[in-house]
């Protein structure tokens, strides 16, 4: 068992050569590959972390936008609700105004109808009263109604007092046309003379008269000259009846559900002229 | 009966000769280098790699970890020397399963050469790390009187390295050789397996002891009074 020193030297050299070869062909490539892989993994991890950070930022941005969108939606909703309320109120007010307008129009129409009815009633009543009176007078006193009316009108002329008398006299004096005497029926000649006589005596003039018939007067005579009127009709006697009829209609209006008290029932006594 | 492959000489010219130790060593060197070249030539930087590459990486990183475990903080610096030492010894033991093969580590000349390599590497790394003065001072630690004992210890541990490895490897090969003549069938296989285990353990011991010696030599001695 001896040591072969040549073999020792050769083995030492072999070992040194092996060290160099292993370093060249094993350790360096393997360690380089490990380092490269670790670097790649580290890079990928860093990249993943960066992407995660970016994704988190994107998510936060999205969340923030979503919140803003929700807030805007809430604001828009609240604004729309407010505008709808205002619009609803406006439409209600408009409808109410329109309803009020229609109601006023309806009331006006009703008033017109009432007025028309009142006029018809008044005219019919006057005509009836006039006819009845004429018949009664003919049967009882043997005189006509026109004669009575003419006489009454003559008496009214004679009984006229100041200041109406002066005003009417002035009108007669300044008149360029004959004074107009209107009656419901044509007056007989004697009645025309009686009226002319009464006029001349009252105002101390020689007045020229022109006689015409006006069916609307029904029972009465009207003297017109130069814008001044003097009349007597049976409608004066029917004034109270007109008032009562107007009151009755007023009560009936008040009982209707859609109407209030007529604004001016006083306007129904339109025929209460002098 | 041959105790050492040194005795099988293929060619000789005076002092120079080619014996079985050298031939088996060259064969092992070729095997190691060719294997490493074949595997590393197909290395890839991707996350996927071959199984052999993975095995090679495991071996290399394990050696690195062991070097670090013995106290060497820069394992890549000592990896070529210590790693090659371990791989050569381990491969020499593993190849004993090949019939007719004789491990070169069964030669006292080989183990002496490796022990001398460690003997030379220890001051080389020590001086490189600490500087010449500081390294030489370490022989006089803890007192000057310890200088001869430290020098003797340096030589004796080198001798122990060589003899220990040689004894284990030679005995394993010798036992298998003797058993082959007595019970040529099953028993030598078992003893071969045992020898394989013993050889790997010895390779690890040689590698660790070399690492420990280098670590001791490269450790910087700090003054106690500071």
């Amino acid at each position: 068992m001896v040591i072969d020193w040549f073999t020792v030297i050769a083995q030492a050299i072999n070992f040194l050569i092996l060290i160099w070869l292993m370093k060249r062909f094993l350790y360096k490539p393997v360690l380089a590959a490990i380092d490269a892989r670790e670097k790649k993994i580290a890079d990928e991890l860093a990249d993943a972390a960066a992407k995660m950070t970016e994704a988190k930022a994107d998510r936060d941005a999205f969340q923030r936008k979503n919140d803003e969108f929700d807030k805007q939606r809430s604001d828009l909703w609240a604004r729309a609700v407010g505008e709808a309320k205002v619009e609803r109120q406006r439409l209600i007010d408009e409808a109410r105004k329109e309803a009020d307008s229609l109601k006023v129009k309806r009331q006006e129409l009703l008033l017109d109808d009432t007025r028309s009815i009142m006029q018809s009633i008044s005219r019919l009543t006057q005509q009836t009263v006039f006819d009845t009176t004429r018949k009664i007078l003919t049967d009882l006193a043997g005189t006509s109604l026109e004669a009575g009316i003419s006489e009454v009108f003559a008496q009214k002329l004679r009984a006229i007092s100041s200041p109406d008398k002066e005003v009417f006299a002035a009108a007669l004096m300044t008149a360029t046309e004959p004074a107009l005497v209107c009656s419901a029926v044509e007056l007989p000649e004697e009645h025309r003379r009686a009226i002319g006589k009464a006029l001349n005596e009252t105002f101390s003039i020689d007045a020229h008269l022109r006689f015409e018939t006006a069916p609307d007067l029904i029972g009465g005579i009207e003297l017109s000259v130069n814008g001044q009127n003097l009349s007597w009709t049976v409608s004066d006697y029917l004034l109270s009846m007109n008032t009562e009829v107007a009151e009755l209609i007023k009560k009936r209006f008040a009982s209707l559900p859609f109407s209030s008290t007529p604004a001016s029932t006083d306007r129904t006594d339109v025929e209460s002229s002098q | 009966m041959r105790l050492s492959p040194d005795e099988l000489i293929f060619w000789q010219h005076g002092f120079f000769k080619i014996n079985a130790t050298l031939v088996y060593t060259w064969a092992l060197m070729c095997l190691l280098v060719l294997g490493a070249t074949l595997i590393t030539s197909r290395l890839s930087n991707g996350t996927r790699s071959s199984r052999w590459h993975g095995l090679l990486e495991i071996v290399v990183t394990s050696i690195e970890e062991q070097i670090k475990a013995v106290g060497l903080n820069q394992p890549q610096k000592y990896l070529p020397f210590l790693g090659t030492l371990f791989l050569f010894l381990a491969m020499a033991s593993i190849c004993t399963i090949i019939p007719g093969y004789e491990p070169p580590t069964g030669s006292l000349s080989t183990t002496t050469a490796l022990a001398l390599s460690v003997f030379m590497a220890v001051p080389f790394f020590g001086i490189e790390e600490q500087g010449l003065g500081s390294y030489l001072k370490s022989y006089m630690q803890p007192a000057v009187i310890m200088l001869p004992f430290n020098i003797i210890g340096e030589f004796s541990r080198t001798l122990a390295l060589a003899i220990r490895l040689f004894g284990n490897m030679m005995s394993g090969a010798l036992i298998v050789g003797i058993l082959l003549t007595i019970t040529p069938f099953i028993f030598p296989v078992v003893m071969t397996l045992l020898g394989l285990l013993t050889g790997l353990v010895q390779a690890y011991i040689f590698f660790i002891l070399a690492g420990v010696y280098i670590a001791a030599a490269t450790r910087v001695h700090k003054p106690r009074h500071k």
Side-chain angles (χ1 to χ4, degrees):
Chain A
M1 186 65 59
V2 290
I3 296 174
D4 183 4
W5 289 106
F6 171 75
T7 307
V8 170
I9 295 165
Q11 286 294 69
I13 293 168
N14 280 338
F15 183 65
L16 291 175
I17 292 169
L18 184 63
I19 289 173
W20 182 81
L21 288 172
M22 294 297 277
K23 186 178 178 182
R24 167 74 179 77
F25 292 107
L26 179 65
Y27 302 124
K28 200 178 277 183
V30 169
L31 291 174
I34 291 171
D35 290 343
R37 190 185 304 117
E38 283 178 354
K39 186 175 180 303
K40 188 176 182 183
I41 290 169
D43 290 346
E44 285 177 355
L45 285 173
D47 188 46
K51 281 182 179 169
M52 192 174 282
T53 307
E54 191 180 348
K56 191 171 179 301
D58 287 347
R59 190 193 63 187
D60 291 344
F62 174 75
Q63 187 65 41
R64 193 167 57 249
K65 283 181 182 174
N66 212 12
D67 292 342
E68 286 175 7
F69 174 73
D70 286 344
K71 188 174 177 301
Q72 284 179 358
R73 190 180 60 180
S74 301
D75 292 346
L76 285 172
W77 178 254
R79 198 165 67 192
V81 167
E83 286 175 355
K85 277 184 182 174
V86 171
E87 182 67 13
R88 177 174 168 271
Q89 191 60 44
R90 190 187 67 76
L91 289 172
I92 288 172
D93 292 344
E94 199 173 308
R96 189 171 287 145
K97 279 180 187 173
E98 197 170 347
D100 290 345
S101 172
L102 287 172
K103 190 175 164 184
V104 169
K105 278 184 185 173
R106 183 179 178 81
Q107 285 177 353
E108 286 176 355
L109 285 172
L110 283 171
L111 285 174
D112 289 343
D113 288 346
T114 306
R115 205 174 293 127
S116 175
I117 290 167
M118 286 293 296
Q119 283 177 352
S120 299
I121 290 171
S122 178
R123 190 173 295 112
L124 185 63
T125 305
Q126 288 176 12
Q127 188 66 47
T128 305
V129 168
F130 188 74
D131 292 344
T132 306
T133 307
R134 177 186 288 139
K135 193 173 180 183
I136 290 169
L137 281 173
T138 304
D139 290 346
L140 294 179
T143 181
S144 66
L145 180 61
E146 286 75 15
I149 289 171
S150 298
E151 190 176 342
V152 168
F153 186 71
Q155 287 174 1
K156 197 172 177 67
L157 276 175
R158 286 191 179 93
I160 193 168
S161 58
S162 297
D164 295 340
K165 187 177 179 179
E166 284 76 16
V167 171
F168 210 84
L172 285 169
M173 295 290 278
T174 58
T176 57
E177 291 182 355
L180 179 62
V181 178
C182 293
S183 58
V185 295
E186 191 172 351
L187 294 173
E189 188 57 34
E190 56 196 286
H191 296 164
R192 291 183 180 182
R193 281 200 301 270
I195 290 169
K197 188 180 177 184
L199 189 67
N200 292 336
E201 287 175 2
T202 303
F203 296 103
S204 304
I205 58 168
D206 185 14
H208 296 282
L209 295 176
R210 183 165 58 91
F211 292 91
E212 287 184 2
T213 56
D216 291 342
L217 286 173
I218 303 174
I221 295 172
E222 184 181 60
L223 174 63
S224 303
V225 60
N226 210 14
Q228 294 295 319
N229 292 327
L230 182 66
S231 65
W232 179 92
T233 63
V234 294
S235 62
D236 295 340
Y237 298 96
L238 300 174
L239 190 61
S240 62
M241 190 194 73
N242 284 342
T243 305
E244 286 177 6
V245 171
E247 283 296 322
L248 183 65
I249 291 170
K250 187 178 174 182
K251 284 178 184 174
R252 291 301 298 270
F253 270 128
S255 65
L256 292 175
F258 57 85
S259 72
S260 59
T261 304
S264 56
T265 50
D266 295 339
R267 288 158 62 186
T268 54
D269 53 349
V270 289
E271 290 301 316
S272 58
S273 60
Q274 188 176 357
Chain B
M1 185 157 187
R2 211 174 48 242
L3 286 177
S4 169
D6 286 359
E7 295 171 13
L8 181 60
I9 298 170
F10 298 110
W11 177 83
Q12 186 167 15
H13 186 268
F15 182 67
F16 301 98
K17 66 184 82 164
I18 296 175
N19 52 28
T21 304
L22 291 176
V23 171
Y24 287 131
T25 302
W26 290 338
L28 283 176
M29 286 169 68
C30 288
L31 184 66
L32 284 168
V33 173
L34 283 176
T37 308
L38 277 175
I39 294 168
T40 56
S41 64
R42 285 178 292 179
L43 281 178
S44 63
N45 292 332
T47 51
R48 292 176 65 86
S49 57
S50 69
R51 294 175 183 176
W52 288 108
H53 180 214
L55 177 67
L56 215 56
E57 281 192 6
I58 288 170
V59 169
V60 172
T61 51
S62 299
I63 292 170
E64 247 188 354
E65 285 173 8
Q66 290 298 318
I67 293 170
K68 201 184 285 184
V70 297
L72 294 166
N73 292 326
Q74 294 174 298
Q76 291 193 5
K77 182 178 173 185
Y78 308 101
L79 180 66
F81 179 75
L82 293 174
T84 306
L85 199 60
F86 174 75
L87 288 177
F88 177 72
L89 295 175
M91 193 54 69
S93 298
I94 289 168
C95 286
T96 52
I97 59 172
I98 299 169
Y101 167 81
E102 286 185 41
T105 46
S107 159
L108 188 59
S109 304
T110 304
T111 55
T112 304
L114 295 177
L116 284 173
S117 298
V118 175
F119 179 76
M120 296 304 292
V122 168
F124 174 79
F125 286 120
I127 291 167
E128 189 187 47
E129 191 71 26
Q130 308 186 45
L132 182 62
S134 180
Y135 177 72
L136 292 177
K137 259 187 201 171
S138 68
Y139 282 98
M140 292 183 280
Q141 297 294 336
V144 181
I145 197 168
M146 293 298 289
L147 178 63
F149 300 104
N150 281 332
I151 294 170
I152 292 168
E154 198 75 22
F155 281 103
S156 63
R157 75 184 184 190
T158 306
L159 187 65
L161 271 180
I163 298 296
R164 184 190 300 114
L165 182 61
F166 165 71
N168 280 285
M169 299 308 289
M170 183 271 290
S171 62
L174 197 62
I175 286 169
V176 171
I178 292 167
L179 286 174
L180 273 174
T181 58
I182 300 169
T183 54
F185 294 110
I186 304 298
F187 204 64
V189 175
V190 177
M191 289 311 292
T192 303
L193 289 174
L194 187 63
L196 189 65
L197 178 67
T198 310
L200 285 173
V201 171
Q202 286 306 314
Y204 182 71
I205 288 170
F206 198 99
F207 157 73
I208 286 294
L209 284 175
V212 168
Y213 297 155
I214 293 170
T218 54
R219 193 175 63 237
V220 179
H221 295 280
K222 293 178 181 175
R224 290 180 182 177
H225 303 296
K226 272 195 175 177

